[in-house]
Amino acid sequence: MRLFSKRKNRGLSSRQEQTAGRIALAILSYQQRVADYLNGKTAGISSKGWLMLLIVFCAGFGLYCLSLLLQLL
């Protein structure tokens, strides 16, 4: 006696595939618009600026994690 039977994978119908394709295309289009917007916003930052931003982010995140660890003690 099987407690859990396996479902058969029947695949998608052509209409379901078309709908999934349209949804995927809409998502990709939105992602491209957001990426273009963000690239435009950060185009003026130099490599030194990015390095400083990375250092500040890592230091801030590290201090936050350290504070969480110290609260446990």
Side-chain angles (χ1 to χ4, degrees):
M1 181 175 145
R2 294 193 88 145
L3 186 58
F4 300 106
S5 62
K6 290 186 178 181
R7 286 187 170 181
K8 293 182 180 179
N9 187 5
R10 296 182 185 144
L12 299 176
S13 69
S14 63
R15 185 175 174 102
Q16 288 173 327
E17 284 188 22
Q18 288 175 350
T19 303
R22 284 195 302 266
I23 292 171
L25 190 61
I27 290 171
L28 289 175
S29 172
Y30 180 72
Q31 283 179 340
Q32 186 64 47
R33 284 193 317 233
V34 170
D36 290 341
Y37 171 76
L38 292 175
N39 281 334
K41 286 292 210 181
T42 61
I45 300 176
S46 67
S47 60
K48 286 184 181 182
W50 280 114
L51 182 61
M52 289 303 297
L53 186 64
L54 178 65
I55 290 170
V56 168
F57 175 78
C58 290
F61 188 71
L63 288 173
Y64 175 69
C65 289
L66 184 63
S67 70
L68 290 177
L69 287 173
L70 292 176
Q71 285 179 359
L72 292 175
L73 300 177

